[in-house]
Amino acid sequence: MTKLYIKTYLITILLLGLTTKCLFAQEKKQPDSIALSPFFPINAGYALDTNAVKDIKKISVDIEIKTDIPEGYHYCISALNSGFNGKLFHTGIATHTNGIPVKSSNAKDTVFGQGAVFTRWMEGEMNVIKTTGFTETRSAAYVSIRNKAIWNKGRYRITLFKSGYTKGKPIPGQNLKYNDKYPLTEYEHSWITMTVENLDTRQKWLIGSMAFPGKRIDMTPRIEIFLEQYGPAINYGAKNRVLDKPTIYYKDIPKVQLTIGNVAIDGKKQKLERVALRVRKPEINIVKEILNADKNEIWFETGELQEPLSQLKESKP
């Protein structure tokens, strides 16, 4: 009996030890790290019908922000990024937008608050933009329009539409590469204008216009979405950690819920087919997302530490 008792006791201890080890292994570990600004929690890519993006006149995408965004939080929602005639562009709405005012004599960089951004990559010439607001450029890396657009919780629509044409030498074909150079002073260009509209109040903000080479506008058949937390770095270590830069403790990041969808090209709604989902730093993932295939939209929530890798599910939030 004694030997049997000892044997049973040892087996019980062993099982308890294994069970405890498994339980600890399942716990979500807090990464002891710093996410430097700007931090992009997620990239989502969607394919479009290749026939729908040829010779387009207008494209729009809707954003519904379901939670209030605190005034001091630095947040950007970039819902429509693609390419026109091979030239990559970026659009977004941001809480703390900056730029050089075009009507200012001292031409100093200014943070003017809630606004919208329209950027063309691999371009540094200022003559390809028109705006009454703000601009920013960095050598030949990008040229950008920034302008005021008041937004928070609510429903908004970002629209890009063909608004003009500048004559010049014809572009040799439509399959242009993003780093091909076609100066506005020599080649024909089409002007694309960006607006942001509050769908609840119908107030609309004109952000500005950007020139793209070519008379006909073909869009890359893919839309990229990214969410950005900028300004302070995110501290995933001890709360009282002292750093030489502004930081926000990861548990203090506000939760933001939103949906992005209802993509329309020339008035026709487009079906979104998911291409890829990428979490920039999987070990400090702070986003949840659900693809609603019926509504052709994606639901996001940011601000809370998640499992290291997030899976996209085709269901309603």
Side-chain angles (χ1 to χ4, degrees), residues 221-255:
R222 177 184 171 98
I223 291 177
E224 298 286 342
I225 296 170
F226 69 80
L227 307 176
E228 177 184 355
Q229 185 268 323
Y230 61 104
I234 304 177
N235 175 19
Y236 288 93
K239 188 171 185 179
N240 59 355
R241 171 185 282 174
V242 178
L243 298 168
D244 60 353
K245 57 176 63 65
T247 60
I248 181 172
Y249 188 49
Y250 79 99
K251 288 187 177 180
D252 296 332
I253 298 174
K255 288 185 181 180

PDB file of all heavy atoms in Angstrom, residues 221-255:
ATOM      1  N   PRO A 221      -5.077  47.953 -59.229  1.00  0.00           N
ATOM      2  CA  PRO A 221      -6.250  47.215 -58.741  1.00  0.00           C
ATOM      3  C   PRO A 221      -6.075  46.661 -57.329  1.00  0.00           C
ATOM      4  O   PRO A 221      -6.318  45.486 -57.071  1.00  0.00           O
ATOM      5  CB  PRO A 221      -6.399  46.090 -59.773  1.00  0.00           C
ATOM      6  CG  PRO A 221      -5.014  45.851 -60.251  1.00  0.00           C
ATOM      7  CD  PRO A 221      -4.344  47.201 -60.260  1.00  0.00           C
ATOM      8  N   ARG A 222      -5.653  47.511 -56.424  1.00  0.00           N
ATOM      9  CA  ARG A 222      -5.435  47.100 -55.047  1.00  0.00           C
ATOM     10  C   ARG A 222      -5.487  48.334 -54.152  1.00  0.00           C
ATOM     11  O   ARG A 222      -4.929  49.381 -54.500  1.00  0.00           O
ATOM     12  CB  ARG A 222      -4.064  46.413 -54.905  1.00  0.00           C
ATOM     13  CG  ARG A 222      -3.687  46.010 -53.485  1.00  0.00           C
ATOM     14  CD  ARG A 222      -2.275  45.438 -53.491  1.00  0.00           C
ATOM     15  NE  ARG A 222      -1.774  45.221 -52.136  1.00  0.00           N
ATOM     16  CZ  ARG A 222      -1.800  44.046 -51.511  1.00  0.00           C
ATOM     17  NH1 ARG A 222      -2.294  42.999 -52.121  1.00  0.00           N
ATOM     18  NH2 ARG A 222      -1.319  43.926 -50.289  1.00  0.00           N
ATOM     19  N   ILE A 223      -6.158  48.215 -53.035  1.00  0.00           N
ATOM     20  CA  ILE A 223      -6.232  49.290 -52.042  1.00  0.00           C
ATOM     21  C   ILE A 223      -5.527  48.837 -50.779  1.00  0.00           C
ATOM     22  O   ILE A 223      -5.741  47.717 -50.304  1.00  0.00           O
ATOM     23  CB  ILE A 223      -7.704  49.642 -51.715  1.00  0.00           C
ATOM     24  CG1 ILE A 223      -8.365  50.302 -52.926  1.00  0.00           C
ATOM     25  CG2 ILE A 223      -7.785  50.577 -50.508  1.00  0.00           C
ATOM     26  CD1 ILE A 223      -9.831  50.615 -52.703  1.00  0.00           C
ATOM     27  N   GLU A 224      -4.691  49.702 -50.248  1.00  0.00           N
ATOM     28  CA  GLU A 224      -4.022  49.437 -48.978  1.00  0.00           C
ATOM     29  C   GLU A 224      -4.654  50.298 -47.888  1.00  0.00           C
ATOM     30  O   GLU A 224      -4.973  51.466 -48.109  1.00  0.00           O
ATOM     31  CB  GLU A 224      -2.530  49.774 -49.075  1.00  0.00           C
ATOM     32  CG  GLU A 224      -1.749  48.948 -50.088  1.00  0.00           C
ATOM     33  CD  GLU A 224      -1.512  47.531 -49.631  1.00  0.00           C
ATOM     34  OE1 GLU A 224      -1.634  47.269 -48.411  1.00  0.00           O
ATOM     35  OE2 GLU A 224      -1.197  46.684 -50.485  1.00  0.00           O
ATOM     36  N   ILE A 225      -4.834  49.700 -46.718  1.00  0.00           N
ATOM     37  CA  ILE A 225      -5.345  50.397 -45.543  1.00  0.00           C
ATOM     38  C   ILE A 225      -4.304  50.269 -44.439  1.00  0.00           C
ATOM     39  O   ILE A 225      -3.764  49.194 -44.229  1.00  0.00           O
ATOM     40  CB  ILE A 225      -6.673  49.787 -45.054  1.00  0.00           C
ATOM     41  CG1 ILE A 225      -7.768  49.955 -46.107  1.00  0.00           C
ATOM     42  CG2 ILE A 225      -7.107  50.386 -43.725  1.00  0.00           C
ATOM     43  CD1 ILE A 225      -9.029  49.173 -45.783  1.00  0.00           C
ATOM     44  N   PHE A 226      -4.018  51.365 -43.756  1.00  0.00           N
ATOM     45  CA  PHE A 226      -3.210  51.241 -42.557  1.00  0.00           C
ATOM     46  C   PHE A 226      -3.687  52.214 -41.488  1.00  0.00           C
ATOM     47  O   PHE A 226      -4.255  53.269 -41.787  1.00  0.00           O
ATOM     48  CB  PHE A 226      -1.710  51.398 -42.830  1.00  0.00           C
ATOM     49  CG  PHE A 226      -1.255  52.779 -43.233  1.00  0.00           C
ATOM     50  CD1 PHE A 226      -1.052  53.765 -42.287  1.00  0.00           C
ATOM     51  CD2 PHE A 226      -0.989  53.062 -44.562  1.00  0.00           C
ATOM     52  CE1 PHE A 226      -0.607  55.031 -42.651  1.00  0.00           C
ATOM     53  CE2 PHE A 226      -0.531  54.318 -44.942  1.00  0.00           C
ATOM     54  CZ  PHE A 226      -0.350  55.307 -43.979  1.00  0.00           C
ATOM     55  N   LEU A 227      -3.493  51.824 -40.238  1.00  0.00           N
ATOM     56  CA  LEU A 227      -3.792  52.648 -39.081  1.00  0.00           C
ATOM     57  C   LEU A 227      -2.467  53.029 -38.441  1.00  0.00           C
ATOM     58  O   LEU A 227      -1.552  52.217 -38.378  1.00  0.00           O
ATOM     59  CB  LEU A 227      -4.682  51.899 -38.095  1.00  0.00           C
ATOM     60  CG  LEU A 227      -5.975  51.311 -38.681  1.00  0.00           C
ATOM     61  CD1 LEU A 227      -6.725  50.499 -37.638  1.00  0.00           C
ATOM     62  CD2 LEU A 227      -6.864  52.408 -39.243  1.00  0.00           C
ATOM     63  N   GLU A 228      -2.385  54.257 -37.953  1.00  0.00           N
ATOM     64  CA  GLU A 228      -1.113  54.758 -37.447  1.00  0.00           C
ATOM     65  C   GLU A 228      -1.282  55.456 -36.111  1.00  0.00           C
ATOM     66  O   GLU A 228      -2.195  56.273 -35.935  1.00  0.00           O
ATOM     67  CB  GLU A 228      -0.510  55.741 -38.456  1.00  0.00           C
ATOM     68  CG  GLU A 228       0.786  56.387 -38.019  1.00  0.00           C
ATOM     69  CD  GLU A 228       1.282  57.426 -39.009  1.00  0.00           C
ATOM     70  OE1 GLU A 228       0.659  57.569 -40.079  1.00  0.00           O
ATOM     71  OE2 GLU A 228       2.283  58.099 -38.711  1.00  0.00           O
ATOM     72  N   GLN A 229      -0.418  55.105 -35.164  1.00  0.00           N
ATOM     73  CA  GLN A 229      -0.310  55.837 -33.901  1.00  0.00           C
ATOM     74  C   GLN A 229       1.021  56.566 -33.954  1.00  0.00           C
ATOM     75  O   GLN A 229       2.070  55.948 -34.097  1.00  0.00           O
ATOM     76  CB  GLN A 229      -0.378  54.887 -32.699  1.00  0.00           C
ATOM     77  CG  GLN A 229      -0.403  55.584 -31.347  1.00  0.00           C
ATOM     78  CD  GLN A 229       0.972  55.779 -30.751  1.00  0.00           C
ATOM     79  OE1 GLN A 229       1.850  54.930 -30.887  1.00  0.00           O
ATOM     80  NE2 GLN A 229       1.172  56.906 -30.101  1.00  0.00           N
ATOM     81  N   TYR A 230       0.990  57.900 -33.915  1.00  0.00           N
ATOM     82  CA  TYR A 230       2.230  58.653 -34.062  1.00  0.00           C
ATOM     83  C   TYR A 230       2.374  59.610 -32.885  1.00  0.00           C
ATOM     84  O   TYR A 230       1.591  59.592 -31.939  1.00  0.00           O
ATOM     85  CB  TYR A 230       2.273  59.384 -35.406  1.00  0.00           C
ATOM     86  CG  TYR A 230       1.184  60.404 -35.636  1.00  0.00           C
ATOM     87  CD1 TYR A 230       1.446  61.758 -35.542  1.00  0.00           C
ATOM     88  CD2 TYR A 230      -0.109  60.006 -35.976  1.00  0.00           C
ATOM     89  CE1 TYR A 230       0.465  62.697 -35.766  1.00  0.00           C
ATOM     90  CE2 TYR A 230      -1.107  60.923 -36.202  1.00  0.00           C
ATOM     91  CZ  TYR A 230      -0.823  62.276 -36.095  1.00  0.00           C
ATOM     92  OH  TYR A 230      -1.819  63.200 -36.315  1.00  0.00           O
ATOM     93  N   GLY A 231       3.409  60.455 -32.949  1.00  0.00           N
ATOM     94  CA  GLY A 231       3.694  61.318 -31.801  1.00  0.00           C
ATOM     95  C   GLY A 231       4.516  60.555 -30.778  1.00  0.00           C
ATOM     96  O   GLY A 231       5.639  60.136 -31.052  1.00  0.00           O
ATOM     97  N   PRO A 232       3.989  60.321 -29.562  1.00  0.00           N
ATOM     98  CA  PRO A 232       4.745  59.600 -28.526  1.00  0.00           C
ATOM     99  C   PRO A 232       5.016  58.145 -28.906  1.00  0.00           C
ATOM    100  O   PRO A 232       4.227  57.519 -29.618  1.00  0.00           O
ATOM    101  CB  PRO A 232       3.826  59.678 -27.301  1.00  0.00           C
ATOM    102  CG  PRO A 232       2.883  60.794 -27.584  1.00  0.00           C
ATOM    103  CD  PRO A 232       2.701  60.814 -29.067  1.00  0.00           C
ATOM    104  N   ALA A 233       6.119  57.611 -28.421  1.00  0.00           N
ATOM    105  CA  ALA A 233       6.403  56.179 -28.547  1.00  0.00           C
ATOM    106  C   ALA A 233       5.508  55.415 -27.578  1.00  0.00           C
ATOM    107  O   ALA A 233       4.980  55.973 -26.608  1.00  0.00           O
ATOM    108  CB  ALA A 233       7.872  55.910 -28.245  1.00  0.00           C
ATOM    109  N   ILE A 234       5.328  54.118 -27.827  1.00  0.00           N
ATOM    110  CA  ILE A 234       4.516  53.286 -26.942  1.00  0.00           C
ATOM    111  C   ILE A 234       5.447  52.500 -26.027  1.00  0.00           C
ATOM    112  O   ILE A 234       6.339  51.791 -26.499  1.00  0.00           O
ATOM    113  CB  ILE A 234       3.624  52.313 -27.739  1.00  0.00           C
ATOM    114  CG1 ILE A 234       2.746  53.070 -28.733  1.00  0.00           C
ATOM    115  CG2 ILE A 234       2.753  51.504 -26.789  1.00  0.00           C
ATOM    116  CD1 ILE A 234       1.898  52.171 -29.602  1.00  0.00           C
ATOM    117  N   ASN A 235       5.226  52.618 -24.726  1.00  0.00           N
ATOM    118  CA  ASN A 235       6.038  51.928 -23.730  1.00  0.00           C
ATOM    119  C   ASN A 235       5.350  50.630 -23.328  1.00  0.00           C
ATOM    120  O   ASN A 235       4.283  50.645 -22.700  1.00  0.00           O
ATOM    121  CB  ASN A 235       6.236  52.825 -22.501  1.00  0.00           C
ATOM    122  CG  ASN A 235       6.964  52.112 -21.377  1.00  0.00           C
ATOM    123  OD1 ASN A 235       7.628  51.106 -21.600  1.00  0.00           O
ATOM    124  ND2 ASN A 235       6.837  52.624 -20.172  1.00  0.00           N
ATOM    125  N   TYR A 236       5.954  49.508 -23.690  1.00  0.00           N
ATOM    126  CA  TYR A 236       5.435  48.192 -23.307  1.00  0.00           C
ATOM    127  C   TYR A 236       6.215  47.593 -22.144  1.00  0.00           C
ATOM    128  O   TYR A 236       6.095  46.413 -21.871  1.00  0.00           O
ATOM    129  CB  TYR A 236       5.477  47.243 -24.508  1.00  0.00           C
ATOM    130  CG  TYR A 236       4.457  47.563 -25.559  1.00  0.00           C
ATOM    131  CD1 TYR A 236       4.770  48.383 -26.637  1.00  0.00           C
ATOM    132  CD2 TYR A 236       3.163  47.071 -25.480  1.00  0.00           C
ATOM    133  CE1 TYR A 236       3.841  48.689 -27.607  1.00  0.00           C
ATOM    134  CE2 TYR A 236       2.221  47.369 -26.446  1.00  0.00           C
ATOM    135  CZ  TYR A 236       2.569  48.178 -27.494  1.00  0.00           C
ATOM    136  OH  TYR A 236       1.637  48.485 -28.461  1.00  0.00           O
ATOM    137  N   GLY A 237       7.001  48.407 -21.462  1.00  0.00           N
ATOM    138  CA  GLY A 237       7.758  47.935 -20.311  1.00  0.00           C
ATOM    139  C   GLY A 237       7.113  48.382 -19.014  1.00  0.00           C
ATOM    140  O   GLY A 237       5.892  48.530 -18.928  1.00  0.00           O
ATOM    141  N   ALA A 238       7.924  48.598 -17.999  1.00  0.00           N
ATOM    142  CA  ALA A 238       7.414  49.047 -16.702  1.00  0.00           C
ATOM    143  C   ALA A 238       6.816  50.443 -16.853  1.00  0.00           C
ATOM    144  O   ALA A 238       7.338  51.297 -17.572  1.00  0.00           O
ATOM    145  CB  ALA A 238       8.545  49.061 -15.681  1.00  0.00           C
ATOM    146  N   LYS A 239       5.712  50.685 -16.125  1.00  0.00           N
ATOM    147  CA  LYS A 239       5.013  51.956 -16.268  1.00  0.00           C
ATOM    148  C   LYS A 239       5.863  53.140 -15.825  1.00  0.00           C
ATOM    149  O   LYS A 239       5.757  54.235 -16.375  1.00  0.00           O
ATOM    150  CB  LYS A 239       3.705  51.926 -15.481  1.00  0.00           C
ATOM    151  CG  LYS A 239       2.815  53.133 -15.738  1.00  0.00           C
ATOM    152  CD  LYS A 239       1.449  52.981 -15.131  1.00  0.00           C
ATOM    153  CE  LYS A 239       0.557  54.147 -15.525  1.00  0.00           C
ATOM    154  NZ  LYS A 239      -0.810  54.018 -14.963  1.00  0.00           N
ATOM    155  N   ASN A 240       6.718  52.929 -14.839  1.00  0.00           N
ATOM    156  CA  ASN A 240       7.532  54.027 -14.316  1.00  0.00           C
ATOM    157  C   ASN A 240       8.878  54.148 -15.029  1.00  0.00           C
ATOM    158  O   ASN A 240       9.781  54.811 -14.545  1.00  0.00           O
ATOM    159  CB  ASN A 240       7.755  53.856 -12.809  1.00  0.00           C
ATOM    160  CG  ASN A 240       8.445  52.539 -12.475  1.00  0.00           C
ATOM    161  OD1 ASN A 240       8.673  51.706 -13.359  1.00  0.00           O
ATOM    162  ND2 ASN A 240       8.763  52.330 -11.213  1.00  0.00           N
ATOM    163  N   ARG A 241       9.020  53.470 -16.169  1.00  0.00           N
ATOM    164  CA  ARG A 241      10.279  53.544 -16.906  1.00  0.00           C
ATOM    165  C   ARG A 241      10.526  54.991 -17.367  1.00  0.00           C
ATOM    166  O   ARG A 241       9.625  55.661 -17.892  1.00  0.00           O
ATOM    167  CB  ARG A 241      10.224  52.622 -18.123  1.00  0.00           C
ATOM    168  CG  ARG A 241      11.393  52.785 -19.082  1.00  0.00           C
ATOM    169  CD  ARG A 241      11.213  51.921 -20.327  1.00  0.00           C
ATOM    170  NE  ARG A 241      11.526  50.531 -20.050  1.00  0.00           N
ATOM    171  CZ  ARG A 241      11.341  49.554 -20.941  1.00  0.00           C
ATOM    172  NH1 ARG A 241      10.817  49.821 -22.115  1.00  0.00           N
ATOM    173  NH2 ARG A 241      11.647  48.314 -20.641  1.00  0.00           N
ATOM    174  N   VAL A 242      11.740  55.478 -17.172  1.00  0.00           N
ATOM    175  CA  VAL A 242      12.122  56.834 -17.571  1.00  0.00           C
ATOM    176  C   VAL A 242      12.822  56.778 -18.925  1.00  0.00           C
ATOM    177  O   VAL A 242      13.817  56.064 -19.087  1.00  0.00           O
ATOM    178  CB  VAL A 242      13.046  57.488 -16.522  1.00  0.00           C
ATOM    179  CG1 VAL A 242      13.460  58.879 -16.989  1.00  0.00           C
ATOM    180  CG2 VAL A 242      12.346  57.556 -15.173  1.00  0.00           C
ATOM    181  N   LEU A 243      12.289  57.528 -19.894  1.00  0.00           N
ATOM    182  CA  LEU A 243      12.858  57.542 -21.237  1.00  0.00           C
ATOM    183  C   LEU A 243      13.152  58.974 -21.659  1.00  0.00           C
ATOM    184  O   LEU A 243      12.607  59.929 -21.092  1.00  0.00           O
ATOM    185  CB  LEU A 243      11.884  56.889 -22.233  1.00  0.00           C
ATOM    186  CG  LEU A 243      11.557  55.417 -21.958  1.00  0.00           C
ATOM    187  CD1 LEU A 243      10.385  54.989 -22.809  1.00  0.00           C
ATOM    188  CD2 LEU A 243      12.758  54.546 -22.248  1.00  0.00           C
ATOM    189  N   ASP A 244      13.999  59.119 -22.663  1.00  0.00           N
ATOM    190  CA  ASP A 244      14.389  60.446 -23.118  1.00  0.00           C
ATOM    191  C   ASP A 244      13.505  60.950 -24.249  1.00  0.00           C
ATOM    192  O   ASP A 244      13.910  61.813 -25.032  1.00  0.00           O
ATOM    193  CB  ASP A 244      15.853  60.436 -23.563  1.00  0.00           C
ATOM    194  CG  ASP A 244      16.101  59.465 -24.713  1.00  0.00           C
ATOM    195  OD1 ASP A 244      15.168  58.715 -25.066  1.00  0.00           O
ATOM    196  OD2 ASP A 244      17.233  59.456 -25.248  1.00  0.00           O
ATOM    197  N   LYS A 245      12.298  60.412 -24.369  1.00  0.00           N
ATOM    198  CA  LYS A 245      11.360  60.832 -25.402  1.00  0.00           C
ATOM    199  C   LYS A 245       9.937  60.727 -24.872  1.00  0.00           C
ATOM    200  O   LYS A 245       9.674  59.948 -23.946  1.00  0.00           O
ATOM    201  CB  LYS A 245      11.517  59.973 -26.659  1.00  0.00           C
ATOM    202  CG  LYS A 245      11.336  58.486 -26.417  1.00  0.00           C
ATOM    203  CD  LYS A 245      11.416  57.683 -27.708  1.00  0.00           C
ATOM    204  CE  LYS A 245      12.754  57.769 -28.371  1.00  0.00           C
ATOM    205  NZ  LYS A 245      13.851  57.178 -27.587  1.00  0.00           N
ATOM    206  N   PRO A 246       9.007  61.499 -25.425  1.00  0.00           N
ATOM    207  CA  PRO A 246       7.599  61.389 -25.001  1.00  0.00           C
ATOM    208  C   PRO A 246       7.077  59.983 -25.256  1.00  0.00           C
ATOM    209  O   PRO A 246       7.309  59.408 -26.321  1.00  0.00           O
ATOM    210  CB  PRO A 246       6.881  62.415 -25.878  1.00  0.00           C
ATOM    211  CG  PRO A 246       7.947  63.357 -26.329  1.00  0.00           C
ATOM    212  CD  PRO A 246       9.205  62.550 -26.436  1.00  0.00           C
ATOM    213  N   THR A 247       6.381  59.420 -24.294  1.00  0.00           N
ATOM    214  CA  THR A 247       5.849  58.061 -24.422  1.00  0.00           C
ATOM    215  C   THR A 247       4.419  58.002 -23.907  1.00  0.00           C
ATOM    216  O   THR A 247       3.966  58.868 -23.163  1.00  0.00           O
ATOM    217  CB  THR A 247       6.698  57.042 -23.635  1.00  0.00           C
ATOM    218  OG1 THR A 247       6.692  57.411 -22.253  1.00  0.00           O
ATOM    219  CG2 THR A 247       8.123  56.982 -24.154  1.00  0.00           C
ATOM    220  N   ILE A 248       3.741  56.946 -24.315  1.00  0.00           N
ATOM    221  CA  ILE A 248       2.425  56.627 -23.793  1.00  0.00           C
ATOM    222  C   ILE A 248       2.458  55.173 -23.339  1.00  0.00           C
ATOM    223  O   ILE A 248       2.945  54.299 -24.070  1.00  0.00           O
ATOM    224  CB  ILE A 248       1.311  56.882 -24.839  1.00  0.00           C
ATOM    225  CG1 ILE A 248      -0.067  56.551 -24.249  1.00  0.00           C
ATOM    226  CG2 ILE A 248       1.545  56.103 -26.113  1.00  0.00           C
ATOM    227  CD1 ILE A 248      -1.212  56.966 -25.153  1.00  0.00           C
ATOM    228  N   TYR A 249       2.011  54.915 -22.120  1.00  0.00           N
ATOM    229  CA  TYR A 249       2.007  53.556 -21.583  1.00  0.00           C
ATOM    230  C   TYR A 249       0.949  52.739 -22.331  1.00  0.00           C
ATOM    231  O   TYR A 249      -0.158  53.222 -22.600  1.00  0.00           O
ATOM    232  CB  TYR A 249       1.706  53.594 -20.090  1.00  0.00           C
ATOM    233  CG  TYR A 249       1.854  52.269 -19.377  1.00  0.00           C
ATOM    234  CD1 TYR A 249       2.992  51.493 -19.543  1.00  0.00           C
ATOM    235  CD2 TYR A 249       0.849  51.797 -18.534  1.00  0.00           C
ATOM    236  CE1 TYR A 249       3.126  50.286 -18.890  1.00  0.00           C
ATOM    237  CE2 TYR A 249       0.977  50.594 -17.863  1.00  0.00           C
ATOM    238  CZ  TYR A 249       2.111  49.833 -18.044  1.00  0.00           C
ATOM    239  OH  TYR A 249       2.245  48.630 -17.392  1.00  0.00           O
ATOM    240  N   TYR A 250       1.279  51.497 -22.659  1.00  0.00           N
ATOM    241  CA  TYR A 250       0.410  50.725 -23.549  1.00  0.00           C
ATOM    242  C   TYR A 250      -0.990  50.508 -22.984  1.00  0.00           C
ATOM    243  O   TYR A 250      -1.968  50.422 -23.730  1.00  0.00           O
ATOM    244  CB  TYR A 250       1.066  49.386 -23.918  1.00  0.00           C
ATOM    245  CG  TYR A 250       0.978  48.306 -22.874  1.00  0.00           C
ATOM    246  CD1 TYR A 250       0.021  47.303 -22.949  1.00  0.00           C
ATOM    247  CD2 TYR A 250       1.875  48.274 -21.804  1.00  0.00           C
ATOM    248  CE1 TYR A 250      -0.052  46.295 -21.996  1.00  0.00           C
ATOM    249  CE2 TYR A 250       1.812  47.284 -20.854  1.00  0.00           C
ATOM    250  CZ  TYR A 250       0.841  46.298 -20.948  1.00  0.00           C
ATOM    251  OH  TYR A 250       0.779  45.305 -19.999  1.00  0.00           O
ATOM    252  N   LYS A 251      -1.131  50.470 -21.666  1.00  0.00           N
ATOM    253  CA  LYS A 251      -2.463  50.310 -21.072  1.00  0.00           C
ATOM    254  C   LYS A 251      -3.272  51.609 -21.104  1.00  0.00           C
ATOM    255  O   LYS A 251      -4.474  51.581 -20.868  1.00  0.00           O
ATOM    256  CB  LYS A 251      -2.336  49.802 -19.639  1.00  0.00           C
ATOM    257  CG  LYS A 251      -1.900  48.348 -19.538  1.00  0.00           C
ATOM    258  CD  LYS A 251      -1.958  47.847 -18.106  1.00  0.00           C
ATOM    259  CE  LYS A 251      -1.582  46.366 -18.030  1.00  0.00           C
ATOM    260  NZ  LYS A 251      -1.646  45.861 -16.635  1.00  0.00           N
ATOM    261  N   ASP A 252      -2.600  52.720 -21.406  1.00  0.00           N
ATOM    262  CA  ASP A 252      -3.282  54.009 -21.485  1.00  0.00           C
ATOM    263  C   ASP A 252      -3.685  54.378 -22.904  1.00  0.00           C
ATOM    264  O   ASP A 252      -4.273  55.446 -23.125  1.00  0.00           O
ATOM    265  CB  ASP A 252      -2.380  55.115 -20.916  1.00  0.00           C
ATOM    266  CG  ASP A 252      -2.098  54.924 -19.436  1.00  0.00           C
ATOM    267  OD1 ASP A 252      -2.950  54.330 -18.748  1.00  0.00           O
ATOM    268  OD2 ASP A 252      -1.016  55.353 -18.970  1.00  0.00           O
ATOM    269  N   ILE A 253      -3.368  53.527 -23.878  1.00  0.00           N
ATOM    270  CA  ILE A 253      -3.767  53.799 -25.255  1.00  0.00           C
ATOM    271  C   ILE A 253      -5.291  53.709 -25.356  1.00  0.00           C
ATOM    272  O   ILE A 253      -5.885  52.712 -24.950  1.00  0.00           O
ATOM    273  CB  ILE A 253      -3.121  52.796 -26.227  1.00  0.00           C
ATOM    274  CG1 ILE A 253      -1.597  52.913 -26.186  1.00  0.00           C
ATOM    275  CG2 ILE A 253      -3.619  53.023 -27.645  1.00  0.00           C
ATOM    276  CD1 ILE A 253      -0.898  51.852 -27.001  1.00  0.00           C
ATOM    277  N   PRO A 254      -5.955  54.738 -25.865  1.00  0.00           N
ATOM    278  CA  PRO A 254      -7.419  54.677 -25.968  1.00  0.00           C
ATOM    279  C   PRO A 254      -7.869  53.657 -27.004  1.00  0.00           C
ATOM    280  O   PRO A 254      -7.207  53.446 -28.021  1.00  0.00           O
ATOM    281  CB  PRO A 254      -7.799  56.096 -26.389  1.00  0.00           C
ATOM    282  CG  PRO A 254      -6.583  56.640 -27.049  1.00  0.00           C
ATOM    283  CD  PRO A 254      -5.411  56.013 -26.364  1.00  0.00           C
ATOM    284  N   LYS A 255      -8.996  53.027 -26.744  1.00  0.00           N
ATOM    285  CA  LYS A 255      -9.582  52.103 -27.714  1.00  0.00           C
ATOM    286  C   LYS A 255     -10.322  52.905 -28.783  1.00  0.00           C
ATOM    287  O   LYS A 255     -11.093  53.796 -28.473  1.00  0.00           O
ATOM    288  CB  LYS A 255     -10.542  51.134 -27.037  1.00  0.00           C
ATOM    289  CG  LYS A 255      -9.867  50.090 -26.177  1.00  0.00           C
ATOM    290  CD  LYS A 255     -10.890  49.100 -25.646  1.00  0.00           C
ATOM    291  CE  LYS A 255     -10.247  48.054 -24.754  1.00  0.00           C
ATOM    292  NZ  LYS A 255     -11.234  47.079 -24.229  1.00  0.00           N
TER     293      LYS A 255
END
